[in-house]
Amino acid sequence: MNNLDPSKRFTPDAVKAAAADGKADRSPRLNSIAQEVATQYRRDTMSPVMVSGVLRIVEFSLLLGSGMLFYLYNVGFLAHLGWQYPLIILLASISAVLIFEIMDGYQLQSLLRPGATIARIVVSWFATFALMAVVAFFMKVSADFSRLLFAEWFAVGLVLVVTLRLVVARFIRRWARNGRMERRAVIVGGGKAAETLIRSIEQQPFNDIRICGIFDDRDDRRSPPIVAGYPKLGTVSELLEFARIARIDMLIVSLPLTAETRVLQLLKKLWVLPVDIRLSAHSNQLQFRPRSYSYIGSVPMLDIFDKPINDWDSVAKRTFDIVFSLIGIVAFSPVMIATAIAIKLDSKGPVLFKQKRHGFNNEVIEVYKFRSMYAEQADPTARKAVTKNDPRVTRVGRFIRKTSIDELPQFFNALFGSLSLVGPRPHAVAAQSHNLLYNEVVDGYFARHKVKPGVTGWAQINGWRGEMDTDEKIRKRTEFDLYYIENWSLWIDVKILFLTPIRLLDTENAY
């Protein structure tokens, strides 16, 4: 995997100057070099897990499709074994993918070196046919099957899989070169330990890690501005902003386990990010059971936090959002049309109200609602929360807010992807409680943004809906949101979605 090319031209003097530039302002804004590096990585990457998952589906489809074509050509649907042939071909195609999996055929190293894994592919395909023969024997139909058909399928199937692997290897190498498929990592902590870790990672053949830089709170005497060719881009506080802009996938903390206090201080700042957080165990003397570690090549890591709703879970959740958003839009279209007409007749101004709110990874998104206030008194910043009998709310507005009809346009947000149907409710960027922003009230508040915000959520069905007029309400809502993130499953999403209409009958806090 190629590493960050621009880092090679960063000199210690340039890094020091940029760091001084970043510290001129008390806010943790990025210095010029960190901003330049982060901007290079704005584009999302493809996960190796997703690529190998798609390959499994494609290989299964190729094997099943080619087997069925030979069946139709050689036997046909009218044969007396009409149903046994497709069943055997289906089971064999599934078995082949499972055996490839057992033989590590879908690991990144195997995909990058198809020539070195052809023998394993051949053995796996042989094993598939041996298993198929055993199944046919026990079904007492082996004598009735066409040997020619299965000989042709064996040869063509093998050619198809090997050819596909050669093509995929070329694409993966290209994606690795241009940064489309990689895991972007940042080293937290500098000095000798970080240098040893970086050298070890770089020596791993065919690893998918791209090191984007180093962040450390220590000064240049204790933590050099350049380590193993990588610049120290800023402090840990600045890392929060860098990770969001650069779409970082992994933070590797390069500190000894004996520095327990410092490690805990770092994790307290970093856990709000939607990334994998690993503690390097490469140079630690303490030994744990093998199951305690994950690995980058052969470099051991202790898993501290995992990115929630990742890889195939994210695909399942996105599919859930699209399907149920479309159902919701169709089911509630009469209500939405009637609401739009009522708003237009009741007061001047647009039907829809757009508000900037915090979305996934703390990014600012635009959320749609039916307008419930007089247009000239609308508050896009939500600095002043809506209260009971608020004079800014129209007659129609009071009704649609109590019944949550004003939220129905957010089905379109969920369909287009800025929201999920279920998740922590998005709050306005400038929302306040007693002149304090919500993140100033609750420590770790931004951890709510480790997943996409939702149209409805776990906090809402548990009674924490409506005005956020006390610090306790903000804390409780955040507590329930974090519980949802840590315990997410599709079943929880289904449960929340179907309980929401029932919970909406309680309108005490909705005005």
Side-chain angles (χ1 to χ4, degrees):
M1 179 65 63
N2 294 333
N3 286 305
L4 182 64
D5 295 333
S7 67
K8 305 304 180 184
R9 71 172 189 269
F10 295 149
T11 64
D13 290 339
V15 173
K16 288 178 182 178
D21 172 59
K23 291 174 182 176
D25 189 345
R26 290 185 179 182
S27 62
R29 69 183 181 88
L30 299 177
N31 62 61
S32 57
I33 289 181
Q35 187 70 48
E36 178 188 346
V37 173
T39 303
Q40 296 179 28
Y41 297 114
R42 282 185 181 275
R43 186 171 61 170
D44 283 324
T45 61
M46 294 184 294
S47 163
V49 174
M50 294 293 290
V51 172
S52 63
V54 171
L55 180 61
R56 290 174 176 88
I57 295 172
V58 173
E59 286 189 341
F60 167 77
S61 301
L62 278 177
L63 295 175
L64 179 62
S66 60
M68 291 303 295
L69 285 175
F70 281 118
Y71 161 64
L72 292 174
Y73 180 76
N74 288 292
V75 180
F77 280 120
L78 300 179
H80 71 285
L81 290 176
W83 66 271
Q84 287 98 331
Y85 265 112
L87 179 61
I88 287 289
I89 291 169
L90 173 64
L91 292 175
S93 302
I94 295 173
S95 300
V97 173
L98 293 176
I99 294 172
F100 290 159
E101 177 72 45
I102 293 170
M103 299 286 285
D104 291 332
Y106 295 108
Q107 298 296 318
L108 182 64
Q109 293 86 344
S110 299
L111 299 181
L112 283 167
R113 298 186 298 168
T117 58
I118 286 178
R120 271 187 281 175
I121 293 173
V122 173
V123 170
S124 299
W125 196 220
F126 261 118
T128 300
F129 273 73
L131 180 62
M132 186 169 54
V134 171
V135 171
F137 172 79
F138 281 105
M139 290 175 64
K140 298 182 179 180
V141 293
S142 58
D144 298 319
F145 284 111
S146 167
R147 273 65 170 173
L148 175 63
L149 183 157
F150 287 111
E152 291 173 342
W153 187 34
F154 178 87
V156 171
L158 185 60
V159 170
L160 287 173
V161 171
V162 171
T163 302
L164 176 64
R165 291 301 182 100
L166 293 172
V167 172
V168 167
R170 291 194 63 179
F171 274 105
I172 291 178
R173 290 193 187 101
R174 183 187 301 173
W175 293 332
R177 284 195 301 270
N178 63 25
R180 288 293 291 130
M181 195 185 84
E182 62 190 4
R183 284 185 292 169
R184 296 169 183 165
V186 163
I187 307 297
V188 183
K192 188 65 178 176
E195 181 178 1
T196 303
L197 172 64
I198 291 170
R199 300 293 187 204
S200 300
I201 292 175
E202 288 182 333
Q203 289 171 5
Q204 304 305 308
F206 304 110
N207 82 77
D208 60 329
I209 296 295
R210 181 185 290 265
I211 299 172
C212 300
I214 299 168
F215 285 80
D216 198 343
D217 287 335
R218 295 174 297 178
D219 59 30
D220 290 347
R221 290 174 301 173
R222 301 178 60 196
S223 176
I226 300 288
V227 177
Y230 293 91
K232 185 171 68 176
L233 298 176
T235 65
V236 174
S237 295
E238 293 163 348
L239 169 57
L240 299 178
E241 180 65 16
F242 179 87
R244 292 184 178 114
I245 297 174
R247 303 185 184 276
I248 295 300
D249 299 298
M250 180 185 296
L251 304 181
I252 305 176
V253 179
S254 176
L255 292 174
L257 291 176
T258 51
E260 180 182 352
T261 302
R262 188 159 171 243
V263 170
L264 291 175
Q265 288 174 344
L266 290 174
L267 295 179
K268 187 177 180 181
K269 292 182 179 180
L270 299 175
W271 75 281
V272 300
L273 290 170
V275 299
D276 295 329
I277 299 181
R278 304 288 182 256
L279 180 61
S280 170
H282 183 256
S283 58
N284 285 306
Q285 300 302 314
L286 295 174
Q287 297 295 316
F288 296 89
R289 291 179 299 174
R291 288 184 181 179
S292 302
Y293 298 112
S294 62
Y295 291 86
I296 298 175
S298 60
V299 180
M301 303 280 172
L302 288 171
D303 297 352
I304 306 300
F305 293 110
D306 287 325
K307 182 178 180 180
I309 315 181
N310 200 15
D311 295 324
W312 287 104
D313 283 343
S314 65
V315 174
K317 188 167 176 62
R318 183 69 187 126
T319 303
F320 176 91
D321 287 342
I322 292 172
V323 171
F324 282 93
S325 294
L326 289 171
I327 293 173
I329 290 169
V330 172
F332 290 101
S333 56
V335 177
M336 288 193 277
I337 293 170
T339 303
I341 294 171
I343 291 171
K344 207 65 180 172
L345 294 174
D346 183 52
S347 61
K348 294 180 180 179
V351 169
L352 291 179
F353 173 70
K354 292 185 289 186
Q355 189 176 62
K356 294 188 183 300
R357 300 189 179 189
H358 281 123
F360 171 69
N361 205 12
N362 220 32
E363 294 175 351
V364 176
I365 60 173
E366 217 168 40
V367 171
Y368 306 128
K369 296 181 68 175
F370 281 123
R371 180 174 59 83
S372 60
M373 293 185 180
Y374 292 102
E376 64 276 10
Q377 298 182 58
D379 180 16
T381 64
R383 284 185 180 274
K384 183 181 178 182
V386 177
T387 57
K388 194 171 186 177
N389 298 319
D390 197 313
R392 297 175 298 167
V393 179
T394 66
R395 289 175 300 171
V396 171
R398 285 193 176 88
F399 175 75
I400 64 175
R401 290 180 73 92
K402 265 197 173 296
T403 56
S404 291
I405 290 175
D406 64 324
E407 310 281 1
L408 289 180
Q410 290 168 29
F411 276 119
F412 291 96
N413 280 109
L415 180 63
F416 299 144
S418 57
L419 290 183
S420 177
L421 274 181
V422 181
R425 284 292 293 150
H427 296 148
V429 173
Q432 295 183 352
S433 172
H434 303 104
N435 296 319
L436 289 176
L437 294 172
Y438 289 169
N439 64 294
E440 296 173 321
V441 175
V442 180
D443 190 25
Y445 169 82
F446 284 132
R448 301 172 72 253
H449 305 148
K450 294 168 78 171
V451 299
K452 279 185 185 180
V455 178
T456 183
W458 184 245
Q460 281 63 45
I461 70 164
N462 281 281
W464 299 101
R465 170 180 172 241
E467 184 184 4
M468 303 272 282
D469 54 351
T470 68
D471 293 354
E472 177 63 15
K473 287 183 179 180
I474 301 169
R475 291 191 182 95
K476 292 300 291 185
R477 186 178 286 189
T478 302
E479 178 185 326
F480 277 86
D481 289 337
L482 295 181
Y483 174 87
Y484 167 80
I485 292 171
E486 293 166 5
N487 296 277
W488 175 85
S489 69
L490 273 182
W491 163 243
I492 289 180
D493 276 6
V494 172
K495 178 181 177 181
I496 293 171
L497 197 62
F498 283 94
L499 281 177
T500 295
I502 300 172
R503 298 294 191 263
L504 289 179
L505 295 175
D506 178 9
T507 61
E508 180 182 353
N509 296 319
Y511 34 80

